[in-house]
Amino acid sequence: MQPDVIVVGGGIIGASCAVSLQQAGMRTLLIEAAQPGCGITAAGMGHLVALDESVQELDLCLFSLKLWRDWVDQHPGIGQVVQTGTLWVAENDAQLIEAQQRAERLNQRQWQAEVIRPEDLSQLEPALRQGLAGAVRVTGDSVVYPPVIAYRMAQDLVQLGGQLLCGQRVNSLRQGSGSSVSVMLDDGRQFSAQHVVVAAGLGTTTLLPEIPVFPRKGHLAITDRYPGRLRHQIVSMDYGQHNMTEDGLSVAANVQPRATGQWLIGSSRQDGQLDTQVSPVAIGAVLQSAIRLLPCLATMHVIRSWAGMRPASPDGQPMIGAHPHRPGVWLATGHEGLGVTTALATADMLTSQLLGKTTAIDAAPYTPSRFFNGVTGR
Ligand SMILES: Cc1cc2nc3c(=O)[nH]c(=O)nc-3n(C[C@H](O)[C@H](O)[C@H](O)COP(=O)(O)OP(=O)(O)OC[C@H]3O[C@@H](n4cnc5c(N)ncnc54)[C@H](O)[C@@H]3O)c2cc1C
């Protein structure tokens, strides 16, 4: 059966889009080069977090977080979901003021946040060091295990009557006859549909070299199991401040208690890196920043470390919407370090746009055409 829409890439973004499109009545084919969820979706932290570097970012996060609540309700027991909340930790008075402002902004949007005094911190999280300036606790944030969720979404697609093709790489897109678009697979097969959604993460540029998605490397480490030692995802107020060393490495402590009792420790950001090899300098800096907040980590066993490439865009915002120069081609990519959090909002907005409906939140900040400034695509 010929699909109405083909989604290329079965990461958390493509899998979310495929389910949403199928639910909206479009016959959907999802094509994944390997297995759903095995790309960057398997390399990140899975923190579902309300970030608020801009009003638009907060809009996107809050819309998506509400959709995640529904998803979790509909999928009990799937994806190691824990409502850890986030504890944004301030190490000095300046950071505390910023943390208080964050709490005000989130509370104004009914995303509950409370300021924690330094003297109450040790009771809330005994592993934190003494002498911190305070914190903000955001109770609605949570933690999931993204590869399992993307895999489950791909199964849901099939249950809903959609098609899934795994282990098949799309090597090119072509304008087909009439208004259709064709995708060519490595094995020579070809599929056509009225719409093709490219959600291939960093693989997007192989198919569409004009799309400005680039890799932003991040390092993580994970400990052995220490159940009950940490309750919240602990994030330094340095996070997102982009304090960089000379070689462009930026590090901020971000420690997540996993459902297994393990601590997942991040994270770093670095552009211009060619491979995912673990850098001793970067992972050392990540661990040191975490130990500065949680000294007992120095005596815990770290059992593995790895690095992954976030699919970033030049302005830090994802691309969700029509390709400006290729009729029938749509983009859902460039989600950098927030792709798990914003996956469901992305899928909802992409589906609305593709069906010509009004989006639930303003789609203008995410329109791919913002990077083209009148330059024609190939
Ligand atoms: C260290 C780190 C920490 C992170 N922490 C968080 C966090 O706490 N919270 C959060 O929200 N986000 C986090 N992220 C970001 C998040 O993981 C990504 O934004 C998200 O996973 C991107 O999903 P994606 O589907 O776009 O990409 P991917 O998961 O890479 O999926 C793309 C898929 O497309 C397939 N593909 C590529 N090319 C082709 C082709 N030609 N044909 C067919 N298939 C193709 C690939 O095999 C892959 O499965 C983190 C990322 C990193 C690296």
Side-chain angles (χ1 to χ4, degrees):
M1 192 190 351
Q2 180 166 342
D4 300 315
V5 54
I6 298 169
V7 178
V8 182
I12 195 78
I13 301 296
S16 302
C17 289
V19 169
S20 171
L21 288 159
Q22 181 72 28
Q23 281 173 332
M26 305 286 285
R27 286 170 303 180
T28 304
L29 165 63
L30 174 61
I31 304 178
E32 162 55 45
Q35 286 295 319
C38 74
I40 285 308
T41 297
M45 292 192 96
H47 186 202
L48 300 184
V49 55
L51 280 192
D52 63 341
E53 279 188 37
S54 68
V55 175
Q56 290 94 326
E57 183 177 67
L58 185 56
D59 286 346
L60 186 65
C61 288
L62 291 182
F63 175 43
S64 211
L65 289 167
K66 282 167 195 155
L67 296 175
W68 270 115
R69 280 189 174 166
D70 297 341
W71 194 95
V72 170
D73 285 348
Q74 290 156 12
H75 296 82
I78 305 294
Q80 299 181 10
V81 183
V82 186
Q83 193 165 338
T84 56
T86 306
L87 204 56
W88 290 96
V89 174
E91 292 191 65
N92 54 46
D93 289 344
Q95 286 184 359
L96 185 58
I97 291 168
E98 281 175 35
Q100 287 164 339
Q101 290 167 348
R102 166 164 291 152
E104 276 170 33
R105 287 193 295 269
L106 295 181
N107 281 321
Q108 275 166 12
R109 304 291 302 274
Q110 285 77 52
W111 198 253
Q112 199 195 337
E114 56 178 325
V115 177
I116 308 291
R117 297 177 307 172
E119 56 271 34
D120 297 329
L121 263 181
S122 57
Q123 209 179 350
L124 200 59
E125 282 295 358
L128 280 170
R129 77 163 163 84
Q130 299 293 310
L132 292 164
V136 165
R137 181 193 197 194
V138 184
T139 44
D141 293 352
S142 51
V143 164
V144 298
Y145 190 45
V148 168
I149 292 188
Y151 193 83
R152 174 56 189 258
M153 286 172 168
Q155 290 177 320
D156 285 352
L157 170 71
V158 176
Q159 283 266 310
L160 290 162
Q163 294 170 266
L164 172 66
L165 206 50
C166 291
Q168 301 293 333
R169 205 181 72 91
V170 173
N171 66 36
S172 56
L173 307 182
R174 276 188 215 145
Q175 288 314 130
S177 54
S179 60
S180 75
V181 183
S182 300
V183 303
M184 258 58 64
L185 304 189
D186 276 350
D187 68 5
R189 276 185 292 168
Q190 175 175 331
F191 294 90
S192 299
Q194 202 189 340
H195 306 278
V196 171
V197 177
V198 179
L202 287 172
T204 300
T205 51
T206 312
L207 300 173
L208 301 167
E210 68 278 16
I211 299 302
V213 178
F214 62 92
R216 180 161 290 159
K217 189 170 181 176
H219 281 77
L220 296 177
I222 194 159
T223 69
D224 208 341
R225 297 178 180 215
Y226 299 88
R229 214 177 254 202
L230 199 65
R231 288 165 52 206
H232 299 82
Q233 177 131 357
I234 307 287
V235 191
S236 164
M237 278 302 296
D238 256 352
Y239 188 88
Q241 302 297 309
H242 313 296
N243 302 323
M244 277 186 201
T245 59
E246 270 171 20
D247 51 1
L249 177 68
S250 130
V251 170
N254 188 350
V255 182
Q256 177 180 99
R258 300 291 321 164
T260 53
Q262 291 169 287
W263 289 17
L264 179 56
I265 305 151
S267 65
S268 63
R269 283 183 157 73
Q270 198 170 17
D271 293 349
Q273 300 295 298
L274 300 177
D275 60 45
T276 53
Q277 231 181 337
V278 172
S279 144
V281 172
I283 198 68
V286 165
L287 289 170
Q288 274 168 13
S289 73
I291 289 169
R292 210 173 65 223
L293 293 184
L294 297 154
C296 66
L297 177 58
T299 61
M300 291 165 64
H301 291 132
V302 171
I303 58 171
R304 193 163 77 88
S305 61
W306 67 93
M309 299 288 198
R310 303 173 181 91
S313 83
D315 65 2
Q317 303 302 318
M319 285 168 246
I320 307 166
H323 188 296
H325 303 298
R326 293 187 187 239
V329 177
W330 300 79
L331 291 156
T333 189
H335 292 72
E336 216 265 350
L338 257 187
V340 182
T341 302
T342 57
L344 295 182
T346 297
D348 189 276
M349 288 165 71
L350 195 277
T351 300
S352 297
Q353 291 182 77
L354 196 143
L355 294 176
K357 295 184 178 167
T358 309
T359 50
I361 60 169
D362 184 12
Y366 311 109
T367 152
S369 62
R370 71 191 189 276
F371 293 120
F372 287 80
N373 292 326
V375 179
T376 318
R378 296 182 325 144

